[in-house]
Amino acid sequence: SPSPSPAPSCGTELIVNNGFESGSGTNNSNFSVYGWAVTLPASGSVVSIDSTTFNSGSQSVKLAVDASNSNNGIKSSQTFSVRENTFYNFNLWVKSSSTGELQIQFRTGLGSGNYLQSDGTTWNTTATYFNISTTTSWTKYSLNFVTAVGQH
Protein backbone atom coordinates (compact mmCIF):
# COMPACT_ATOMS: atom_id res chain seq x y z
CA SER A 1 0.00 0.00 0.00
CA PRO A 2 1.23 3.54 -0.68
CA SER A 3 2.77 5.61 2.11
CA PRO A 4 0.39 8.10 3.73
CA SER A 5 0.68 11.76 2.83
CA PRO A 6 1.18 14.44 5.46
CA ALA A 7 -1.97 16.29 6.53
CA PRO A 8 -3.07 19.16 4.25
CA SER A 9 -0.85 22.21 4.73
CA CYS A 10 0.86 20.61 7.68
CA GLY A 11 -0.17 22.50 10.79
CA THR A 12 -3.46 23.73 9.29
CA GLU A 13 -6.30 23.53 11.81
CA LEU A 14 -9.30 21.61 10.43
CA ILE A 15 -11.52 21.99 13.50
CA VAL A 16 -13.57 25.18 13.68
CA ASN A 17 -13.42 27.01 17.03
CA ASN A 18 -11.03 24.42 18.44
CA GLY A 19 -10.36 26.49 21.56
CA PHE A 20 -14.07 27.10 22.25
CA GLU A 21 -13.46 30.85 22.13
CA SER A 22 -16.80 31.49 20.40
CA GLY A 23 -19.16 30.07 22.97
CA SER A 24 -21.40 31.05 25.83
CA GLY A 25 -23.63 29.63 28.51
CA THR A 26 -23.56 28.81 32.17
CA ASN A 27 -25.83 25.75 32.12
CA ASN A 28 -27.35 23.13 29.81
CA SER A 29 -30.31 25.29 28.78
CA ASN A 30 -28.24 28.21 27.42
CA PHE A 31 -24.98 26.49 26.38
CA SER A 32 -23.83 27.13 22.81
CA VAL A 33 -20.47 26.78 21.04
CA TYR A 34 -19.97 27.99 17.47
CA GLY A 35 -19.04 25.21 15.03
CA TRP A 36 -19.93 22.35 17.37
CA ALA A 37 -23.05 20.18 17.57
CA VAL A 38 -23.56 19.42 21.25
CA THR A 39 -25.91 16.79 22.69
CA LEU A 40 -26.47 17.15 26.40
CA PRO A 41 -27.65 14.50 28.87
CA ALA A 42 -31.27 14.53 30.03
CA SER A 43 -30.22 15.25 33.60
CA GLY A 44 -27.33 15.08 36.02
CA SER A 45 -24.31 16.40 34.15
CA VAL A 46 -23.84 20.09 33.32
CA VAL A 47 -21.81 21.72 30.56
CA SER A 48 -20.80 25.40 30.55
CA ILE A 49 -18.24 27.90 29.31
CA ASP A 50 -15.55 28.66 31.89
CA SER A 51 -13.74 31.99 31.50
CA THR A 52 -11.67 31.51 34.66
CA THR A 53 -9.89 28.24 33.80
CA PHE A 54 -8.34 27.69 30.37
CA ASN A 55 -5.21 26.26 28.78
CA SER A 56 -4.90 28.94 26.09
CA GLY A 57 -7.13 31.70 24.78
CA SER A 58 -9.69 33.12 27.19
CA GLN A 59 -12.09 30.27 28.02
CA SER A 60 -12.72 26.53 28.01
CA VAL A 61 -15.63 24.11 28.11
CA LYS A 62 -16.38 22.81 31.59
CA LEU A 63 -18.06 19.44 32.09
CA ALA A 64 -19.54 18.73 35.52
CA VAL A 65 -20.33 15.02 35.30
CA ASP A 66 -22.80 13.22 37.57
CA ALA A 67 -20.87 9.99 38.23
CA SER A 68 -23.93 8.34 39.83
CA ASN A 69 -25.83 8.46 36.52
CA SER A 70 -24.77 5.78 34.03
CA ASN A 71 -26.20 7.81 31.11
CA ASN A 72 -24.34 11.05 31.77
CA GLY A 73 -22.38 11.44 28.53
CA ILE A 74 -22.00 14.76 26.78
CA LYS A 75 -21.52 14.48 23.02
CA SER A 76 -19.93 17.20 20.94
CA SER A 77 -19.17 16.73 17.28
CA GLN A 78 -17.94 18.49 14.20
CA THR A 79 -17.69 17.42 10.58
CA PHE A 80 -14.70 18.22 8.39
CA SER A 81 -13.29 16.90 5.13
CA VAL A 82 -10.21 14.71 4.96
CA ARG A 83 -7.93 13.52 2.17
CA GLU A 84 -7.46 9.86 1.37
CA ASN A 85 -4.35 8.03 2.60
CA THR A 86 -3.35 10.98 4.79
CA PHE A 87 -1.94 11.17 8.34
CA TYR A 88 -3.91 13.27 10.84
CA ASN A 89 -3.23 14.22 14.46
CA PHE A 90 -6.02 15.10 16.93
CA ASN A 91 -4.98 16.79 20.19
CA LEU A 92 -7.05 17.34 23.31
CA TRP A 93 -6.13 19.28 26.45
CA VAL A 94 -7.82 18.14 29.67
CA LYS A 95 -7.78 19.40 33.25
CA SER A 96 -9.89 17.97 36.06
CA SER A 97 -10.79 19.15 39.56
CA SER A 98 -9.77 15.66 40.76
CA THR A 99 -8.10 12.57 39.37
CA GLY A 100 -10.37 10.15 37.57
CA GLU A 101 -11.11 8.69 34.18
CA LEU A 102 -12.69 10.17 31.06
CA GLN A 103 -13.65 8.23 27.93
CA ILE A 104 -13.25 9.97 24.57
CA GLN A 105 -14.79 8.65 21.35
CA PHE A 106 -13.30 9.67 18.02
CA ARG A 107 -15.46 8.64 15.06
CA THR A 108 -14.56 8.59 11.41
CA GLY A 109 -17.50 8.75 9.03
CA LEU A 110 -20.76 10.66 9.04
CA GLY A 111 -22.82 8.27 11.11
CA SER A 112 -23.65 4.59 11.06
CA GLY A 113 -23.41 2.36 8.03
CA ASN A 114 -21.14 1.98 5.04
CA TYR A 115 -19.82 4.70 2.75
CA LEU A 116 -18.85 4.37 -0.87
CA GLN A 117 -15.23 5.21 -1.58
CA SER A 118 -14.01 6.70 -4.82
CA ASP A 119 -12.51 3.34 -5.86
CA GLY A 120 -15.94 1.64 -5.64
CA THR A 121 -15.31 -0.20 -2.35
CA THR A 122 -16.98 0.61 0.96
CA TRP A 123 -15.66 1.44 4.41
CA ASN A 124 -17.47 1.26 7.71
CA THR A 125 -17.90 4.08 10.13
CA THR A 126 -15.47 3.32 12.91
CA ALA A 127 -15.17 4.62 16.43
CA THR A 128 -11.97 4.73 18.42
CA TYR A 129 -12.34 4.94 22.18
CA PHE A 130 -9.57 5.98 24.46
CA ASN A 131 -9.62 6.37 28.20
CA ILE A 132 -7.84 9.28 29.79
CA SER A 133 -6.62 9.27 33.37
CA THR A 134 -7.34 12.86 34.34
CA THR A 135 -5.07 15.04 36.46
CA THR A 136 -5.48 18.39 38.18
CA SER A 137 -3.15 20.12 35.71
CA TRP A 138 -3.55 20.69 31.98
CA THR A 139 -2.44 17.56 30.11
CA LYS A 140 -2.22 17.07 26.34
CA TYR A 141 -3.55 13.84 24.80
CA SER A 142 -3.11 12.91 21.13
CA LEU A 143 -4.78 10.53 18.70
CA ASN A 144 -3.12 9.84 15.35
CA PHE A 145 -4.86 8.18 12.42
CA VAL A 146 -4.42 7.58 8.70
CA THR A 147 -7.38 7.74 6.32
CA ALA A 148 -7.90 4.80 3.95
CA VAL A 149 -7.15 4.93 0.24
CA GLY A 150 -10.35 6.23 -1.38
CA GLN A 151 -11.71 7.61 1.92
CA HIS A 152 -12.76 11.28 1.75
Side-chain angles (χ1 to χ4, degrees):
S1 92
S3 298
S5 304
S9 303
C10 197
T12 300
E13 185 60 56
L14 299 177
I15 304 213
V16 174
N17 193 22
N18 64 336
F20 305 107
E21 295 302 313
S22 296
S24 62
T26 56
N27 59 52
N28 292 0
S29 64
N30 68 4
F31 178 79
S32 173
V33 177
Y34 171 75
W36 291 87
V38 179
T39 305
L40 304 171
S43 63
S45 299
V46 177
V47 62
S48 61
I49 292 294
D50 186 345
S51 59
T52 61
T53 305
F54 46 86
N55 181 54
S56 63
S58 61
Q59 59 189 32
S60 64
V61 170
K62 181 178 183 178
L63 310 173
V65 178
D66 176 7
S68 67
N69 181 350
S70 62
N71 190 21
N72 60 7
I74 298 169
K75 175 184 169 187
S76 61
S77 61
Q78 190 170 125
T79 301
F80 54 91
S81 297
V82 295
R83 292 184 181 168
E84 67 178 303
N85 195 36
T86 302
F87 173 85
Y88 290 90
N89 175 257
F90 174 77
N91 295 307
L92 174 71
W93 288 88
V94 176
K95 178 182 178 182
S96 181
S97 59
S98 62
T99 57
E101 190 153 304
L102 175 67
Q103 185 179 73
I104 303 294
Q105 178 188 53
F106 189 84
R107 181 178 295 274
T108 58
L110 299 175
S112 61
N114 295 327
Y115 295 89
L116 185 63
Q117 300 182 130
S118 60
D119 65 1
T121 61
T122 59
W123 60 280
N124 289 321
T125 297
T126 58
T128 301
Y129 296 89
F130 57 105
N131 294 324
I132 294 173
S133 296
T134 60
T135 67
T136 56
S137 58
W138 287 104
T139 305
K140 181 180 179 180
Y141 300 91
S142 296
L143 173 67
N144 300 314
F145 67 98
V146 176
T147 54
V149 173
Q151 181 179 352
H152 298 279

